[in-house]
Amino acid sequence: IGAAVFLVNAFYLAFLLCSVYYALRRHRNAVTALAAAVATAALPFVMEAARSLSPQIATLAFTASFWAFYLNSDDFELPRPVFWMGLMFSFGMLTDKFFWVYTLPLLPMMGAVAMGHLHRAELFKGLLPGIVAGVPWYLMNLVSFYNGWLTRSFPGADLSHLEKFFWLLKAAAAEMHLPLFILGGLAMLWMYYSVFMPYQGKEKVALWFVVPYLFFTLTGMRAPELLYPALLPFGIAMGVMTPSKLRYPGALLAVLLLVLNASGLVAPRYLPGIKLAPLFGGTVVMRGDDFSGKFVETVRAVLAGRSSAVVCLTGTSEYLNRDTLSVMLERRELQGIRVVEAGPE
């Protein structure tokens, strides 16, 4: 199983990085596209998803490829990218019930294409495989989306309106680690307002982050991993806006941060709950038949000082699974917990 997971996740990781490279290669040079791919690989949550037993890495890959094909479609004017956009959308919907949220800025345009655009046939051909294969999946998602909203939304009175609005932003800073979050955020702002270094798709790339962030914030969703696909534009922005003379040193710095992050050799530092050092969040492993006060205290201790943590559920249980465990942790006011299942021992 370990070898199979490694091969599958390695494929999706390569697919993700190639998609980022392709997103910039046509309108920028190869060095810029490569710098963006390296910066994306250095984002801590990317490697965390690549080495975990979850479909998160596939969601990241399909989101990046969907946007990459759009950025190369000249606003749906080129037929081949339109076809691949539809295909990536249909497959992405099979990986995550919230996938459509990451495509919200483009859904009205896709609707206009479907209503009578010159390349409507190309779009439908791309959507067809996923639609045919995923009809039962889509029907189940109508229920699971509502359940996900219930289990991951804010209790209501525990935070002020201002704290609710910035909760996911703080969580994003923690998941990216503060230095990369600051660099990526500044690069996004610089790219959006740039005059002398304009990038053709800068408005859409900005919406790629802003629209999902507003959606999850306004609906009260508080799971940091929901924002991962919407943080990929930070890597693209860093690749686009890094000055040419700093791209090679910047790429080397990104690789260094990637190695440090994956090794765990650097001790964590925190600034009001935000990670400063390149180190993954805490992970708690529990058996499927073990849920006790001691376990709750262990999770609480790991979560201390962090905005998120991971609980890895191993073994099998008649009563416990990822969803029920998430609900029980929520009821004990443990926020920012991501539960993953490792399967039977």
Side-chain angles (χ1 to χ4, degrees):
I1 294 178
V5 171
F6 172 79
L7 291 175
V8 171
N9 285 9
F11 166 78
Y12 280 119
L13 178 61
F15 186 30
L16 165 62
L17 300 182
C18 288
S19 297
V20 173
Y21 180 88
Y22 174 67
L24 295 178
R25 183 63 185 88
R26 183 174 173 222
H27 300 289
R28 285 291 188 272
N29 57 39
V31 177
T32 300
L34 185 60
V38 172
T40 301
L43 300 178
F45 62 85
V46 171
M47 298 308 297
E48 181 182 359
R51 67 180 191 176
S52 65
L53 288 168
S54 74
Q56 185 76 57
I57 187 64
T59 304
L60 292 171
F62 284 125
T63 303
S65 60
F66 172 85
W67 279 91
F69 285 117
Y70 165 74
L71 293 172
N72 284 276
S73 71
D74 291 347
D75 286 334
F76 297 94
E77 292 299 323
L78 301 178
R80 187 58 64 86
V82 170
F83 165 77
W84 287 106
M85 270 187 66
L87 190 64
M88 295 303 103
F89 181 85
S90 62
F91 286 162
M93 287 292 290
L94 301 178
T95 66
D96 196 313
K97 57 181 171 287
F98 296 106
F99 180 83
W100 60 273
V101 177
Y102 313 121
T103 67
L104 268 178
L106 300 183
L107 286 185
M109 300 174 67
M110 291 179 66
V113 171
M115 291 299 292
H117 192 271
L118 178 64
H119 302 309
R120 177 175 59 179
E122 297 294 327
L123 179 63
F124 278 125
K125 282 192 294 185
L127 291 173
L128 184 61
I131 292 175
V132 172
V135 169
W137 181 265
Y138 301 145
L139 293 177
M140 289 187 295
N141 276 352
L142 294 176
V143 178
S144 61
F145 176 81
Y146 178 71
N147 290 337
W149 177 75
L150 285 180
T151 58
R152 300 181 184 186
S153 60
F154 285 99
D158 57 339
L159 295 172
S160 68
H161 292 295
L162 188 63
E163 289 174 325
K164 287 181 179 180
F165 185 82
F166 288 106
W167 192 93
L168 272 179
L169 197 64
K170 179 181 176 181
E175 295 302 310
M176 285 184 63
H177 301 167
L178 194 57
L180 281 176
F181 179 78
I182 293 175
L183 288 175
L186 291 176
M188 286 279 286
L189 290 172
W190 185 13
M191 182 177 69
Y192 184 79
Y193 290 105
S194 63
V195 175
F196 300 105
M197 296 176 60
Y199 172 57
Q200 181 178 349
K202 62 181 182 180
E203 292 86 1
K204 294 298 189 297
V205 172
L207 290 175
W208 180 357
F209 167 73
V210 172
V211 172
Y213 180 83
L214 292 178
F215 176 88
F216 290 128
T217 298
L218 296 177
T219 55
M221 307 292 284
R222 61 179 176 182
E225 67 271 14
L226 292 178
L227 205 59
Y228 288 173
L231 295 176
L232 295 177
F234 282 58
I236 292 178
M238 284 189 281
V240 171
M241 301 312 298
T242 301
S244 57
K245 292 184 179 180
L246 296 180
R247 281 175 186 150
Y248 286 111
L252 292 176
L253 176 61
V255 171
L256 176 62
L257 290 176
L258 174 63
V259 172
L260 289 175
N261 180 59
S263 67
L265 296 176
V266 180
R269 297 290 184 272
Y270 300 96
L271 179 65
I274 301 177
K275 294 176 191 152
L276 294 174
L279 190 70
F280 287 126
T283 300
V284 177
V285 178
M286 68 168 292
R287 293 180 53 85
D289 56 356
D290 177 26
F291 187 86
S292 61
K294 182 179 180 181
F295 165 73
V296 173
E297 292 306 316
T298 301
V299 175
R300 198 183 303 277
V302 169
L303 190 60
R306 296 184 172 95
S307 62
S308 63
V310 178
V311 170
C312 182
L313 181 61
T314 67
T316 57
S317 172
E318 184 177 355
Y319 306 104
L320 280 181
N321 56 42
R322 182 173 60 184
D323 294 328
T324 57
L325 184 58
S326 297
V327 172
M328 287 189 286
L329 291 172
E330 291 285 345
R331 290 177 177 175
R332 286 160 177 80
E333 298 182 352
L334 291 170
Q335 303 174 6
I337 303 294
R338 181 161 64 94
V339 181
V340 299
E341 292 180 340
E345 293 180 314

mmCIF file of all heavy atoms in Angstrom, residues 131-161:
data_model
loop_
_atom_site.group_PDB
_atom_site.id
_atom_site.type_symbol
_atom_site.label_atom_id
_atom_site.label_comp_id
_atom_site.label_asym_id
_atom_site.label_seq_id
_atom_site.Cartn_x
_atom_site.Cartn_y
_atom_site.Cartn_z
ATOM 1 N N ILE A 131 -18.831 13.753 -15.814
ATOM 2 C CA ILE A 131 -20.269 13.759 -15.535
ATOM 3 C C ILE A 131 -20.826 12.342 -15.525
ATOM 4 O O ILE A 131 -21.556 11.937 -14.628
ATOM 5 C CB ILE A 131 -21.008 14.638 -16.566
ATOM 6 C CG1 ILE A 131 -20.627 16.107 -16.371
ATOM 7 C CG2 ILE A 131 -22.521 14.454 -16.443
ATOM 8 C CD1 ILE A 131 -21.216 17.031 -17.409
ATOM 9 N N VAL A 132 -20.435 11.559 -16.533
ATOM 10 C CA VAL A 132 -20.936 10.176 -16.627
ATOM 11 C C VAL A 132 -20.441 9.342 -15.455
ATOM 12 O O VAL A 132 -21.194 8.583 -14.846
ATOM 13 C CB VAL A 132 -20.503 9.544 -17.967
ATOM 14 C CG1 VAL A 132 -20.845 8.069 -17.994
ATOM 15 C CG2 VAL A 132 -21.176 10.277 -19.124
ATOM 16 N N ALA A 133 -19.149 9.489 -15.128
ATOM 17 C CA ALA A 133 -18.570 8.673 -14.054
ATOM 18 C C ALA A 133 -18.994 9.138 -12.675
ATOM 19 O O ALA A 133 -18.977 8.355 -11.722
ATOM 20 C CB ALA A 133 -17.045 8.693 -14.160
ATOM 21 N N GLY A 134 -19.376 10.402 -12.555
ATOM 22 C CA GLY A 134 -19.561 10.968 -11.226
ATOM 23 C C GLY A 134 -20.974 11.309 -10.821
ATOM 24 O O GLY A 134 -21.152 11.978 -9.807
ATOM 25 N N VAL A 135 -21.992 10.861 -11.568
ATOM 26 C CA VAL A 135 -23.370 11.195 -11.186
ATOM 27 C C VAL A 135 -23.688 10.741 -9.760
ATOM 28 O O VAL A 135 -24.209 11.522 -8.956
ATOM 29 C CB VAL A 135 -24.373 10.611 -12.197
ATOM 30 C CG1 VAL A 135 -25.799 10.711 -11.658
ATOM 31 C CG2 VAL A 135 -24.283 11.359 -13.525
ATOM 32 N N PRO A 136 -23.395 9.477 -9.384
ATOM 33 C CA PRO A 136 -23.662 9.092 -7.978
ATOM 34 C C PRO A 136 -22.876 9.936 -6.989
ATOM 35 O O PRO A 136 -23.369 10.278 -5.916
ATOM 36 C CB PRO A 136 -23.217 7.618 -7.928
ATOM 37 C CG PRO A 136 -23.243 7.167 -9.342
ATOM 38 C CD PRO A 136 -22.849 8.362 -10.158
ATOM 39 N N TRP A 137 -21.635 10.288 -7.361
ATOM 40 C CA TRP A 137 -20.785 11.107 -6.486
ATOM 41 C C TRP A 137 -21.403 12.477 -6.264
ATOM 42 O O TRP A 137 -21.425 12.998 -5.155
ATOM 43 C CB TRP A 137 -19.416 11.215 -7.120
ATOM 44 C CG TRP A 137 -18.403 12.013 -6.350
ATOM 45 C CD1 TRP A 137 -18.101 13.319 -6.507
ATOM 46 C CD2 TRP A 137 -17.550 11.556 -5.291
ATOM 47 N NE1 TRP A 137 -17.115 13.716 -5.638
ATOM 48 C CE2 TRP A 137 -16.764 12.652 -4.880
ATOM 49 C CE3 TRP A 137 -17.379 10.331 -4.663
ATOM 50 C CZ2 TRP A 137 -15.816 12.551 -3.876
ATOM 51 C CZ3 TRP A 137 -16.440 10.233 -3.659
ATOM 52 C CH2 TRP A 137 -15.674 11.322 -3.268
ATOM 53 N N TYR A 138 -21.897 13.080 -7.330
ATOM 54 C CA TYR A 138 -22.493 14.408 -7.208
ATOM 55 C C TYR A 138 -23.738 14.371 -6.331
ATOM 56 O O TYR A 138 -23.985 15.283 -5.537
ATOM 57 C CB TYR A 138 -22.862 14.966 -8.584
ATOM 58 C CG TYR A 138 -21.692 15.094 -9.521
ATOM 59 C CD1 TYR A 138 -21.850 14.878 -10.885
ATOM 60 C CD2 TYR A 138 -20.425 15.421 -9.049
ATOM 61 C CE1 TYR A 138 -20.773 14.984 -11.757
ATOM 62 C CE2 TYR A 138 -19.352 15.533 -9.910
ATOM 63 C CZ TYR A 138 -19.526 15.317 -11.258
ATOM 64 O OH TYR A 138 -18.464 15.425 -12.106
ATOM 65 N N LEU A 139 -24.541 13.318 -6.459
ATOM 66 C CA LEU A 139 -25.752 13.211 -5.648
ATOM 67 C C LEU A 139 -25.404 13.081 -4.172
ATOM 68 O O LEU A 139 -26.038 13.694 -3.312
ATOM 69 C CB LEU A 139 -26.583 12.009 -6.105
ATOM 70 C CG LEU A 139 -27.188 12.120 -7.513
ATOM 71 C CD1 LEU A 139 -27.925 10.834 -7.872
ATOM 72 C CD2 LEU A 139 -28.132 13.313 -7.605
ATOM 73 N N MET A 140 -24.385 12.277 -3.871
ATOM 74 C CA MET A 140 -23.967 12.131 -2.474
ATOM 75 C C MET A 140 -23.389 13.429 -1.935
ATOM 76 O O MET A 140 -23.511 13.726 -0.751
ATOM 77 C CB MET A 140 -22.934 11.003 -2.342
ATOM 78 C CG MET A 140 -23.511 9.609 -2.530
ATOM 79 S SD MET A 140 -22.307 8.304 -2.164
ATOM 80 C CE MET A 140 -21.103 8.583 -3.466
ATOM 81 N N ASN A 141 -22.756 14.208 -2.811
ATOM 82 C CA ASN A 141 -22.145 15.457 -2.366
ATOM 83 C C ASN A 141 -23.166 16.485 -1.919
ATOM 84 O O ASN A 141 -22.853 17.382 -1.140
ATOM 85 C CB ASN A 141 -21.285 16.055 -3.483
ATOM 86 C CG ASN A 141 -19.901 15.451 -3.498
ATOM 87 O OD1 ASN A 141 -19.537 14.702 -2.607
ATOM 88 N ND2 ASN A 141 -19.129 15.772 -4.508
ATOM 89 N N LEU A 142 -24.396 16.390 -2.416
ATOM 90 C CA LEU A 142 -25.429 17.316 -1.963
ATOM 91 C C LEU A 142 -25.650 17.180 -0.462
ATOM 92 O O LEU A 142 -25.884 18.157 0.243
ATOM 93 C CB LEU A 142 -26.740 17.048 -2.712
ATOM 94 C CG LEU A 142 -26.726 17.331 -4.216
ATOM 95 C CD1 LEU A 142 -28.064 16.929 -4.829
ATOM 96 C CD2 LEU A 142 -26.429 18.802 -4.469
ATOM 97 N N VAL A 143 -25.551 15.939 0.027
ATOM 98 C CA VAL A 143 -25.700 15.687 1.464
ATOM 99 C C VAL A 143 -24.394 15.966 2.200
ATOM 100 O O VAL A 143 -24.387 16.608 3.248
ATOM 101 C CB VAL A 143 -26.164 14.242 1.711
ATOM 102 C CG1 VAL A 143 -26.262 13.959 3.206
ATOM 103 C CG2 VAL A 143 -27.504 13.987 1.031
ATOM 104 N N SER A 144 -23.270 15.496 1.632
ATOM 105 C CA SER A 144 -21.997 15.637 2.334
ATOM 106 C C SER A 144 -21.561 17.098 2.426
ATOM 107 O O SER A 144 -20.897 17.490 3.380
ATOM 108 C CB SER A 144 -20.911 14.813 1.634
ATOM 109 O OG SER A 144 -20.724 15.257 0.310
ATOM 110 N N PHE A 145 -21.932 17.925 1.429
ATOM 111 C CA PHE A 145 -21.607 19.347 1.515
ATOM 112 C C PHE A 145 -22.315 19.979 2.706
ATOM 113 O O PHE A 145 -21.714 20.738 3.470
ATOM 114 C CB PHE A 145 -22.013 20.070 0.227
ATOM 115 C CG PHE A 145 -21.799 21.559 0.286
ATOM 116 C CD1 PHE A 145 -20.546 22.090 0.062
ATOM 117 C CD2 PHE A 145 -22.840 22.421 0.578
ATOM 118 C CE1 PHE A 145 -20.332 23.457 0.122
ATOM 119 C CE2 PHE A 145 -22.641 23.790 0.640
ATOM 120 C CZ PHE A 145 -21.384 24.297 0.409
ATOM 121 N N TYR A 146 -23.591 19.645 2.887
ATOM 122 C CA TYR A 146 -24.336 20.197 4.021
ATOM 123 C C TYR A 146 -23.741 19.701 5.337
ATOM 124 O O TYR A 146 -23.573 20.472 6.288
ATOM 125 C CB TYR A 146 -25.804 19.808 3.919
ATOM 126 C CG TYR A 146 -26.637 20.295 5.085
ATOM 127 C CD1 TYR A 146 -26.926 21.646 5.246
ATOM 128 C CD2 TYR A 146 -27.127 19.403 6.034
ATOM 129 C CE1 TYR A 146 -27.672 22.102 6.315
ATOM 130 C CE2 TYR A 146 -27.887 19.842 7.107
ATOM 131 C CZ TYR A 146 -28.156 21.197 7.240
ATOM 132 O OH TYR A 146 -28.891 21.638 8.302
ATOM 133 N N ASN A 147 -23.397 18.408 5.409
ATOM 134 C CA ASN A 147 -22.795 17.869 6.625
ATOM 135 C C ASN A 147 -21.436 18.515 6.894
ATOM 136 O O ASN A 147 -21.084 18.811 8.032
ATOM 137 C CB ASN A 147 -22.633 16.354 6.511
ATOM 138 C CG ASN A 147 -23.967 15.633 6.545
ATOM 139 O OD1 ASN A 147 -24.952 16.156 7.060
ATOM 140 N ND2 ASN A 147 -24.013 14.447 5.976
ATOM 141 N N GLY A 148 -20.662 18.737 5.802
ATOM 142 C CA GLY A 148 -19.372 19.396 5.966
ATOM 143 C C GLY A 148 -19.514 20.817 6.483
ATOM 144 O O GLY A 148 -18.727 21.280 7.286
ATOM 145 N N TRP A 149 -20.551 21.496 6.032
ATOM 146 C CA TRP A 149 -20.786 22.854 6.516
ATOM 147 C C TRP A 149 -21.155 22.841 7.998
ATOM 148 O O TRP A 149 -20.701 23.680 8.776
ATOM 149 C CB TRP A 149 -21.902 23.503 5.705
ATOM 150 C CG TRP A 149 -22.243 24.877 6.201
ATOM 151 C CD1 TRP A 149 -21.527 26.015 6.035
ATOM 152 C CD2 TRP A 149 -23.395 25.249 6.970
ATOM 153 N NE1 TRP A 149 -22.151 27.073 6.641
ATOM 154 C CE2 TRP A 149 -23.306 26.634 7.229
ATOM 155 C CE3 TRP A 149 -24.496 24.547 7.455
ATOM 156 C CZ2 TRP A 149 -24.274 27.314 7.952
ATOM 157 C CZ3 TRP A 149 -25.459 25.228 8.179
ATOM 158 C CH2 TRP A 149 -25.344 26.587 8.411
ATOM 159 N N LEU A 150 -21.951 21.848 8.411
ATOM 160 C CA LEU A 150 -22.351 21.771 9.810
ATOM 161 C C LEU A 150 -21.163 21.466 10.718
ATOM 162 O O LEU A 150 -21.018 22.060 11.784
ATOM 163 C CB LEU A 150 -23.421 20.686 9.997
ATOM 164 C CG LEU A 150 -24.841 21.007 9.520
ATOM 165 C CD1 LEU A 150 -25.750 19.825 9.792
ATOM 166 C CD2 LEU A 150 -25.389 22.249 10.205
ATOM 167 N N THR A 151 -20.307 20.520 10.311
ATOM 168 C CA THR A 151 -19.222 20.083 11.188
ATOM 169 C C THR A 151 -18.026 21.024 11.174
ATOM 170 O O THR A 151 -17.201 20.979 12.075
ATOM 171 C CB THR A 151 -18.733 18.676 10.780
ATOM 172 O OG1 THR A 151 -18.307 18.708 9.412
ATOM 173 C CG2 THR A 151 -19.850 17.668 10.927
ATOM 174 N N ARG A 152 -17.917 21.891 10.155
ATOM 175 C CA ARG A 152 -16.742 22.745 10.058
ATOM 176 C C ARG A 152 -17.065 24.226 10.192
ATOM 177 O O ARG A 152 -16.213 25.071 9.979
ATOM 178 C CB ARG A 152 -16.036 22.514 8.707
ATOM 179 C CG ARG A 152 -15.585 21.087 8.519
ATOM 180 C CD ARG A 152 -14.886 20.921 7.199
ATOM 181 N NE ARG A 152 -14.526 19.533 6.971
ATOM 182 C CZ ARG A 152 -13.806 19.101 5.941
ATOM 183 N NH1 ARG A 152 -13.357 19.956 5.057
ATOM 184 N NH2 ARG A 152 -13.528 17.834 5.791
ATOM 185 N N SER A 153 -18.293 24.552 10.516
ATOM 186 C CA SER A 153 -18.667 25.956 10.622
ATOM 187 C C SER A 153 -18.436 26.453 12.036
ATOM 188 O O SER A 153 -18.267 25.679 12.977
ATOM 189 C CB SER A 153 -20.138 26.145 10.234
ATOM 190 O OG SER A 153 -20.975 25.389 11.085
ATOM 191 N N PHE A 154 -18.464 27.746 12.190
ATOM 192 C CA PHE A 154 -18.228 28.343 13.494
ATOM 193 C C PHE A 154 -19.399 28.083 14.431
ATOM 194 O O PHE A 154 -20.557 28.090 14.013
ATOM 195 C CB PHE A 154 -18.041 29.854 13.362
ATOM 196 C CG PHE A 154 -16.715 30.240 12.817
ATOM 197 C CD1 PHE A 154 -16.565 30.566 11.487
ATOM 198 C CD2 PHE A 154 -15.606 30.284 13.641
ATOM 199 C CE1 PHE A 154 -15.327 30.926 10.985
ATOM 200 C CE2 PHE A 154 -14.369 30.649 13.148
ATOM 201 C CZ PHE A 154 -14.233 30.969 11.823
ATOM 202 N N PRO A 155 -19.143 27.866 15.741
ATOM 203 C CA PRO A 155 -20.231 27.706 16.687
ATOM 204 C C PRO A 155 -21.133 28.931 16.753
ATOM 205 O O PRO A 155 -22.304 28.808 17.040
ATOM 206 C CB PRO A 155 -19.508 27.495 18.025
ATOM 207 C CG PRO A 155 -18.130 27.087 17.673
ATOM 208 C CD PRO A 155 -17.826 27.711 16.359
ATOM 209 N N GLY A 156 -20.581 30.119 16.505
ATOM 210 C CA GLY A 156 -21.433 31.301 16.473
ATOM 211 C C GLY A 156 -20.999 32.381 17.438
ATOM 212 O O GLY A 156 -20.694 33.499 17.033
ATOM 213 N N ALA A 157 -20.946 32.070 18.721
ATOM 214 C CA ALA A 157 -20.704 33.116 19.717
ATOM 215 C C ALA A 157 -19.274 33.124 20.237
ATOM 216 O O ALA A 157 -18.935 33.935 21.082
ATOM 217 C CB ALA A 157 -21.656 32.924 20.895
ATOM 218 N N ASP A 158 -18.423 32.210 19.736
ATOM 219 C CA ASP A 158 -17.084 32.106 20.306
ATOM 220 C C ASP A 158 -16.125 33.156 19.766
ATOM 221 O O ASP A 158 -15.098 33.440 20.361
ATOM 222 C CB ASP A 158 -16.503 30.707 20.058
ATOM 223 C CG ASP A 158 -16.461 30.348 18.579
ATOM 224 O OD1 ASP A 158 -17.213 30.970 17.810
ATOM 225 O OD2 ASP A 158 -15.687 29.458 18.212
ATOM 226 N N LEU A 159 -16.438 33.765 18.624
ATOM 227 C CA LEU A 159 -15.544 34.744 18.020
ATOM 228 C C LEU A 159 -16.336 35.966 17.576
ATOM 229 O O LEU A 159 -17.515 35.865 17.227
ATOM 230 C CB LEU A 159 -14.827 34.144 16.804
ATOM 231 C CG LEU A 159 -13.857 32.979 17.052
ATOM 232 C CD1 LEU A 159 -13.399 32.397 15.725
ATOM 233 C CD2 LEU A 159 -12.670 33.418 17.884
ATOM 234 N N SER A 160 -15.656 37.101 17.530
ATOM 235 C CA SER A 160 -16.292 38.299 17.003
ATOM 236 C C SER A 160 -16.356 38.217 15.480
ATOM 237 O O SER A 160 -15.712 37.371 14.861
ATOM 238 C CB SER A 160 -15.510 39.541 17.430
ATOM 239 O OG SER A 160 -14.236 39.557 16.793
ATOM 240 N N HIS A 161 -17.107 39.122 14.871
ATOM 241 C CA HIS A 161 -17.214 39.132 13.415
ATOM 242 C C HIS A 161 -15.852 39.385 12.774
ATOM 243 O O HIS A 161 -15.513 38.781 11.747
ATOM 244 C CB HIS A 161 -18.218 40.200 12.963
ATOM 245 C CG HIS A 161 -19.635 39.889 13.339
ATOM 246 N ND1 HIS A 161 -20.317 38.817 12.819
ATOM 247 C CD2 HIS A 161 -20.489 40.504 14.198
ATOM 248 C CE1 HIS A 161 -21.537 38.782 13.314
ATOM 249 N NE2 HIS A 161 -21.673 39.803 14.167
#
